[in-house]
Amino acid sequence: MSSVIEQSVQARMVASAPRMETLPATLQYDRKDPFAVRMAFPAPATLEGTEVSWEFSRELLTAGVDTPAGEGDVRVRPFGYERTVLEFHAVEGIAMVHVRTAELRRFLERAQELVPVGDEYRYLELDRNLTDLLGGTGGPPTP
């Protein structure tokens, strides 16, 4: 079984124009980083002309499909029965996209199959991260 889930979704950019532009996006969940979800937008879909990726908690996405969630750079809330709004706050401004709620639920179900909620700690590589933090020696630095 793969340790990474990727799912393409169609996002609709909310703009001041009456018609919302549809753009591709990719959701990603990696068992090695079990608390996080990534959403990437390809270069042609961004103002900068480079791929833009946002990282936020799986818990935020899970909560946000049913009730408004988030207070920081990423906020998620239901929009009617079939859509969920994701807001991405940056210095340059706010980007708001609509995604079909069914697509988000399918992605979250796949992530749940890979790493059940509550079992995330089992997939953290704490020993390796601690070794990296300590300079790769496996122990405290010597004076």
Side-chain angles (χ1 to χ4, degrees):
M1 175 187 272
S2 175
S3 68
V4 178
I5 295 171
E6 283 194 355
Q7 180 176 316
S8 295
V9 295
Q10 289 297 312
R12 298 186 121 187
M13 181 67 74
V14 178
S16 57
R19 186 166 181 261
M20 289 189 285
E21 179 184 345
T22 300
L23 52 119
T26 303
L27 290 168
Q28 183 184 68
Y29 180 78
D30 188 338
R31 180 170 39 199
K32 292 179 183 175
D33 192 2
F35 291 102
V37 169
R38 285 171 195 78
M39 188 169 197
F41 298 92
T46 68
L47 295 174
E48 297 81 18
T50 58
E51 181 179 285
V52 172
S53 182
W54 287 82
E55 185 173 313
F56 48 97
S57 76
R58 172 169 69 162
E59 182 181 19
L60 173 68
L61 185 60
T62 301
V65 296
D66 293 316
T67 186
E71 297 176 0
D73 293 342
V74 180
R75 301 171 192 182
V76 184
R77 70 176 185 276
F79 185 80
Y81 180 72
E82 297 181 3
R83 298 214 176 264
T84 299
V85 175
L86 289 94
E87 291 183 17
F88 302 100
H89 295 248
V91 174
E92 300 81 12
I94 300 170
M96 293 175 55
V97 296
H98 286 194
V99 178
R100 286 189 177 101
T101 303
E103 290 183 273
L104 296 175
R105 289 189 194 282
R106 184 171 58 243
F107 174 77
L108 289 166
E109 286 170 10
R110 292 175 64 207
Q112 170 72 16
E113 289 171 5
L114 190 63
V115 177
V117 171
D119 283 354
E120 293 91 350
Y121 71 94
R122 295 176 185 233
Y123 297 90
L124 295 174
E125 297 179 9
L126 296 177
D127 291 338
R128 189 182 75 183
N129 292 340
L130 184 57
T131 299
D132 291 346
L133 182 66
L134 296 174
T137 63
T142 54

